[in-house]
Amino acid sequence: MGNVVVVGAQWGDEGKGKLVDWLSEQADTVVRFQGGHNAGHTLVIGENVYKLSLLPSGVVRPGKLGIIGNGVVLDPYALAAEIDRLAKQGVIINRDNLRVAENVALILSVHRELDGLRESGPVGTTIGTTKRGIGPAYEDKVGRRAIRLMDLAEPDALPARVERLLLHHNALRRGAGLPEFEAAAIIKELMDIAPRVLPFMDVVWRLMDEERRAGKRILFEGAQGALLDVDHGTYPYVTSSNTVAGQAATGSGIGPGQVGYVLGIAKAYTTRVGEGPFPTELHDEIGERIGINGHEFGTVTGRKRRCGWFDAVLVRQTVRTSGINGIALTKLDILDGFDEIKICTGYRLDGHEIDYLPASQAQQARVEAIYETFEGWEGVTGGARSWKDLPAQAIKYVRRIEELIGAPVALVSTSPERDDTILVQNPFEA
C-alpha cells in the first residue's frame, strides 16, 4: 500500500510541516482531511519559507495535486488570501494543483463572531480556540444547517439555506443581546467570494478513487494533534473534529482499507497551546529555555506555547488510537546541552499509579507525572543526518522513547532543514 497518513501524536505543533514536505516529494497527491485554517504548517525549502494554513503542503512543489477533503471546514476568504500570499512567493495555485471537495462545509462571518463571543467569556468558561470560527462551523455541519461549497453554485437556492442557518444563529445573538444578521449580507458575502473558490470544486471521493486505481501515491495530511481529537483528546479542551488517523478515510471519501502506513509526529519534548491539562508542563526556567530554544510560538496565532518534558504515556495512547506504525521524532536538537532530561513514564492519580490519561476532566486535572531521569548529552544533535552523528546519550534517549511508546522511531528530525533528517524507515516503502 503506497499511501501514508501523517498525524500529530501530541497536541499539535509537532513539526509536521517539514515531514509532510519531505514525504510530499515522493507523493503524487496530498490531501487535507480535517480541521481548518486554525492550524498552520511552516515549510522551509531552500531559501524559501512558506506558511500554510488551509492548503495541502504539496502545492508548493511542481507536479503535485493538493486536495482539500470534505472533513475540512473551509473559510473561502482565508483560502483566497492564502492563494494570493503564495502567488507573491511565485507559487501559482490553479485547478491543475488544487481541488476542493464540493461537500466541504464553509466558515462564515457568523461563525467567526460566535467563536469570538464565546472566547471572550468569563475565566474558566473558555476553551482557548483561535477564534477563527472552526468550532461553530462544525456545529452547523453536524446540525445539518451548514452552507457547503456546492451551494455557491446554486445562487437561486442559497437564500433558503441562509435563512435556515440564521434561524439558529440569530436566536443565539438575541440571547446575547446582539443585533441579528441579515440574510442579504450573508448572501453577498458568499456571492462575492464564489468566483474565487468555485473553480477548484470537484467530486473528491471519485477523484480519490481514480488516483488510487491509477496507482498514485497519496499522502494524507492531518492538522493539529491526536490529543486534540474531539473524541479521544483532552475534552473539552479539544478541537471540533477528529484528528486521529481514522479520519483520513472519512474526511476524504475513501475506504479505511486504503489508508496504509500511519506516521505519527512527536516532539522530543511536549508543548501545548491554549487551555487544558498538561501533566508534564514546566513552569520554571527549564520550560522557558525549551520554549526559547524551540521558538515555540504558533504559526497561525503567534501564541506562546506551554512547554514540558516528553510524555510517553500520552504518545503511547495516541499510538494506539491512531494505529501508528512509526514515529517521526522532531526537535531532538532543542534538548542539546541539558544536564538532565526527564521522560514521563506513568501517572499518579489519588495515590494510585496508572498508565493512561483518564477521559474524566476532573481526573485529568489531578494526575501527577512520574518521571525517569536521563543524563543529558554534551554533543550537538542539530544537523545530524545519521545515527553516528548523534551523541551516545541522545541515542539512548531515543531508544527509551521507542520502548515506552510501543512504536519504532522511523525518522529523527534534527533541525527545520528538510535534509537534516535521520531516516530509519521510509513510510512509502514500508
Side-chain angles (χ1 to χ4, degrees):
M1 181 62 63
N3 302 330
V4 175
V5 181
V6 174
V7 295
Q10 295 160 316
W11 278 296
D13 308 311
E14 299 95 351
K16 292 184 291 296
K18 169 186 169 177
L19 276 303
V20 167
D21 173 60
W22 184 83
L23 289 165
S24 70
E25 194 171 38
Q26 305 173 60
D28 301 296
T29 306
V30 184
V31 185
R32 271 287 306 273
F33 59 84
Q34 54 77 218
H37 64 305
N38 55 335
H41 290 333
T42 300
L43 308 181
V44 181
I45 303 175
E47 299 297 318
N48 298 312
V49 178
Y50 304 101
K51 294 183 181 294
L52 305 179
S53 297
L54 268 173
L55 291 169
S57 299
V59 299
V60 300
R61 294 196 169 276
K64 311 298 181 182
L65 176 62
I67 294 176
I68 296 177
N70 57 275
V72 172
V73 284
L74 178 77
D75 184 325
Y77 283 89
L79 177 63
E82 193 166 321
I83 289 172
D84 291 342
R85 286 197 302 272
L86 284 182
K88 293 178 181 178
Q89 293 184 271
V91 179
I92 304 304
I93 307 299
N94 54 38
R95 191 172 171 82
D96 292 335
N97 61 359
L98 177 66
R99 306 290 176 86
V100 182
E102 62 177 357
N103 53 339
V104 70
L106 301 182
I107 299 174
L108 311 179
S109 55
V110 296
H111 301 121
R112 292 190 294 273
E113 289 204 24
L114 179 58
D115 207 359
L117 178 66
R118 290 171 173 170
E119 285 301 307
S120 62
V123 175
T125 65
T126 61
I127 301 297
T129 77
T130 57
K131 303 181 184 179
R132 282 165 166 75
I134 310 297
Y138 273 117
E139 290 174 31
D140 282 345
K141 177 180 178 178
V142 174
R144 294 165 292 185
R145 55 182 171 265
I147 304 297
R148 301 191 291 177
L149 180 59
M150 66 179 75
D151 294 329
L152 305 191
E154 300 177 338
D156 291 342
L158 192 56
R161 295 183 176 125
V162 171
E163 289 288 358
R164 180 180 61 186
L165 176 75
L166 292 184
L167 185 66
H168 171 77
H169 281 273
N170 280 338
L172 295 177
R173 294 180 68 82
R174 286 194 299 271
L178 297 173
E180 297 184 11
F181 278 106
E182 295 291 338
I186 301 299
I187 293 169
K188 184 179 186 304
E189 174 186 332
L190 292 168
M191 288 295 94
D192 286 349
I193 197 64
R196 293 293 310 275
V197 294
L198 281 177
F200 301 107
M201 185 172 72
D202 207 342
V203 183
V204 159
W205 64 264
R206 184 176 63 190
L207 176 61
M208 293 288 296
D209 187 61
E210 292 169 355
E211 294 284 292
R212 180 184 66 82
R213 291 178 184 275
K216 299 293 182 65
R217 282 182 165 184
I218 303 172
L219 176 62
F220 298 90
E221 176 185 359
Q224 300 146 312
L227 293 173
L228 293 174
D229 186 276
V230 70
D231 288 307
H232 301 288
T234 49
Y235 191 92
Y237 301 101
V238 292
T239 194
S240 299
S241 62
N242 289 110
T243 57
V244 293
Q247 178 65 14
T250 307
S252 60
I254 66 162
Q258 310 304 324
V259 165
Y261 187 101
V262 179
L263 178 69
I265 316 295
K267 284 177 181 171
Y269 50 96
T270 310
T271 64
R272 177 165 200 168
V273 170
E275 306 297 323
F278 189 166
T280 66
E281 183 173 10
L282 295 167
H283 300 280
D284 55 15
E285 65 277 5
I286 295 177
E288 285 292 320
R289 179 179 170 186
I290 291 174
I292 292 170
N293 291 353
H295 305 289
E296 294 299 348
F297 299 91
T299 299
V300 172
T301 64
R303 288 188 295 178
K304 183 179 179 181
R305 297 172 186 143
R306 301 154 63 189
C307 298
W309 295 120
F310 186 86
D311 191 330
V313 180
L314 291 180
V315 177
R316 181 170 64 240
Q317 204 157 316
T318 58
V319 164
R320 296 173 181 177
T321 58
S322 274
I324 290 172
N325 301 105
I327 285 285
L329 193 66
T330 66
K331 291 197 166 184
L332 181 64
D333 54 305
I334 304 306
L335 298 180
D336 288 356
F338 279 86
D339 293 332
E340 63 177 28
I341 298 168
K342 295 182 179 182
I343 299 178
C344 173
T345 59
Y347 299 138
R348 187 172 290 104
L349 175 64
D350 300 335
H352 302 282
E353 291 190 13
I354 58 174
D355 61 357
Y356 69 99
L357 186 68
S360 163
Q361 181 182 354
Q363 291 181 355
Q364 288 175 0
R366 296 201 306 274
V367 296
E368 302 173 11
I370 299 172
Y371 291 108
E372 278 186 12
T373 301
F374 284 76
E375 180 185 346
W377 50 87
E378 295 182 359
V380 176
T381 65
R385 299 183 180 182
S386 68
W387 287 116
K388 65 181 178 59
D389 296 331
L390 294 179
Q393 197 63 25
I395 295 174
K396 181 180 178 182
Y397 179 72
V398 173
R399 295 304 186 198
R400 182 56 177 153
I401 286 175
E402 287 182 315
E403 293 173 359
L404 290 169
I405 67 175
V409 171
L411 303 100
V412 179
S413 173
T414 57
S415 92
E417 294 295 329
R418 68 188 306 276
D419 293 330
D420 290 341
T421 304
I422 300 170
L423 176 62
V424 181
Q425 181 183 59
N426 188 334
F428 273 118
E429 298 174 359

